[in-house]
Amino acid sequence: MKRILVPTDFSEHAEDALKVAAQIAKKNNCEIFLLHMLELPSQMSDAISGGSGIPEVMLFIKKANETFQKIKEHPYLNGISVSETVQFERASNGILSFCKKNKIDLIIMGSHGSSGIEEMLIGSNTEKVVRLSDIPVLVIKKDIGKFDARNFVFASDFSKEIKKPFKKMIEFAKIFDVNLFLVMICTPNNFKTTLASEKIMSDFISDFDIQNYSLHIFNDVNVENGILNFSNTINADLIGLCTHGRTGLAHFFNGSISEDLVNHTVKPVITFKI
């Protein structure tokens, strides 16, 4: 992992994400890319595409660049290669296209988390990024000080389609030398016996070379409650999930998991696309 993208609206929540990005960058000698999206009215966009420099647009660019320069002066960014970009595009589309163009390895985004995923950084576009991004997305809920992923919970149904994102998760876990808690949540609507659950998990991980892990089965009324409650019982530092590209966080496992998971936990959440 060498390139980290932090989309920013210059808010406190975006800075929380940047602080985490800085810690990861220093640990792994990564570059940080700051991206500020400007979604302009159609007439302004037409002016830009036509090569015209209208005063309003130039003012937006000037203010963004001034803010970027202040951000880059923060001591926690000392010694890190940081580049900044102002891009004129719809936020989610712009973030995803920027990632492909610049071969980004990890997206780190801040979250308000007060009213569900619609209120996350850059509004509902965050859900789109989580849903459509081919690379991992780390969501930061607050200023967590030192980022420690020591106790890392990865919740899954451990089906065959999880194997590809599971490989990405292992790569991320190795970077931080984590204690990996692999958990299957059993609910009344999707009940499996302990023996059946243990076999599914054991068969699944037999295809991977992983260390410092433990297998867990946790019963709860629904998946999101199970993940939250299990994470609290082991004092997790980070929660990992897989998402379907077609439905994002709205459909996890064979049932559904709502954006409440991201909304209700203050723990960082990292998602890997199936």
Side-chain angles (χ1 to χ4, degrees), residues 153-159 161-162 182-187 189-190 192 201 216 218 220 222-228 239-244 246-258 261 272 274:
V153 169
F154 182 78
S156 174
D157 64 352
F158 300 97
S159 59
E161 67 176 350
I162 303 298
L182 303 176
V183 60
M184 176 184 288
I185 308 299
C186 292
T187 68
N189 292 330
N190 189 22
K192 294 182 181 68
M201 298 178 77
H216 303 268
F218 196 84
D220 215 316
N222 56 49
V223 174
E224 53 266 45
N225 278 1
I227 295 172
L228 291 174
I239 298 172
L241 302 170
C242 291
T243 65
H244 285 89
R246 59 185 181 274
T247 51
L249 293 178
H251 288 272
F252 180 62
F253 302 158
N254 295 321
S256 66
I257 180 170
S258 71
L261 180 63
F272 304 86
I274 295 173

Side-chain angles (χ1 to χ4, degrees), residues 8-19:
T8 180
D9 58 356
F10 303 131
S11 67
E12 176 183 338
H13 305 283
E15 185 174 6
D16 294 341
L18 181 57
K19 289 177 180 178

Side-chain angles (χ1 to χ4, degrees), residues 198-211:
E198 287 177 343
K199 186 177 188 312
I200 290 171
M201 298 178 77
S202 296
D203 289 348
F204 181 92
I205 64 169
S206 65
D207 292 334
F208 299 92
D209 178 22
I210 55 176
Q211 299 176 344

Side-chain angles (χ1 to χ4, degrees), residues 18-254:
L18 181 57
K19 289 177 180 178
V20 170
Q23 294 178 57
I24 295 175
K26 287 182 178 180
K27 184 179 179 67
N28 299 281
N29 193 27
C30 299
E31 296 179 73
I32 291 178
F33 294 77
L34 289 169
L35 177 64
H36 181 63
M37 304 301 302
L38 284 174
E39 295 188 31
L40 301 176
S42 58
Q43 63 271 24
M44 289 189 181
S45 298
D46 292 341
I48 293 171
S49 61
S52 301
I54 56 179
E56 293 90 343
V57 173
M58 301 309 295
L59 178 61
F60 289 146
I61 295 173
K62 182 175 183 293
K63 290 294 183 183
N65 286 328
E66 289 175 353
T67 305
F68 272 137
Q69 292 309 310
K70 291 179 181 178
I71 290 173
K72 292 172 69 174
E73 293 173 1
H74 290 316
Y76 60 79
L77 291 175
N78 287 347
I80 302 172
S81 174
V82 181
S83 59
E84 68 278 358
T85 301
V86 179
Q87 193 160 301
F88 301 95
E89 197 173 352
R90 290 182 61 85
S92 59
N93 294 338
I95 291 169
L96 295 172
S97 64
F98 185 92
C99 287
K100 290 180 179 180
K101 182 179 179 180
N102 294 278
K103 298 180 179 179
I104 299 298
D105 300 304
L106 174 68
I107 303 171
I108 303 181
M109 304 183 77
S111 166
H112 299 279
S114 58
S115 304
I117 207 159
E118 288 78 15
E119 293 301 318
M120 294 173 71
L121 174 65
I122 319 181
S124 60
N125 289 292
T126 298
E127 193 274 341
K128 295 177 183 176
V129 173
V130 166
R131 173 161 48 91
L132 298 174
S133 174
D134 290 325
I135 62 175
V137 181
L138 175 60
V139 180
I140 303 298
K141 299 300 295 296
K142 64 174 185 176
D143 186 352
I144 58 176
K146 182 180 179 181
F147 178 70
D148 185 1
R150 178 68 60 178
N151 291 335
F152 180 20
V153 169
F154 182 78
S156 174
D157 64 352
F158 300 97
S159 59
K160 290 182 179 179
E161 67 176 350
I162 303 298
K163 289 192 174 183
K164 183 177 178 180
F166 193 80
K167 290 179 182 178
K168 293 182 180 180
M169 184 278 296
I170 292 175
E171 292 172 3
F172 182 87
K174 286 180 178 178
I175 292 173
F176 295 95
D177 190 27
V178 304
N179 298 315
L180 185 58
F181 295 80
L182 303 176
V183 60
M184 176 184 288
I185 308 299
C186 292
T187 68
N189 292 330
N190 189 22
F191 176 76
K192 294 182 181 68
T193 66
T194 298
L195 289 177
S197 299
E198 287 177 343
K199 186 177 188 312
I200 290 171
M201 298 178 77
S202 296
D203 289 348
F204 181 92
I205 64 169
S206 65
D207 292 334
F208 299 92
D209 178 22
I210 55 176
Q211 299 176 344
N212 298 329
Y213 74 92
S214 55
L215 304 180
H216 303 268
I217 301 160
F218 196 84
N219 300 323
D220 215 316
V221 294
N222 56 49
V223 174
E224 53 266 45
N225 278 1
I227 295 172
L228 291 174
N229 290 330
F230 176 78
S231 298
N232 288 333
T233 62
I234 61 101
N235 194 27
D237 301 302
L238 178 65
I239 298 172
L241 302 170
C242 291
T243 65
H244 285 89
R246 59 185 181 274
T247 51
L249 293 178
H251 288 272
F252 180 62
F253 302 158
N254 295 321

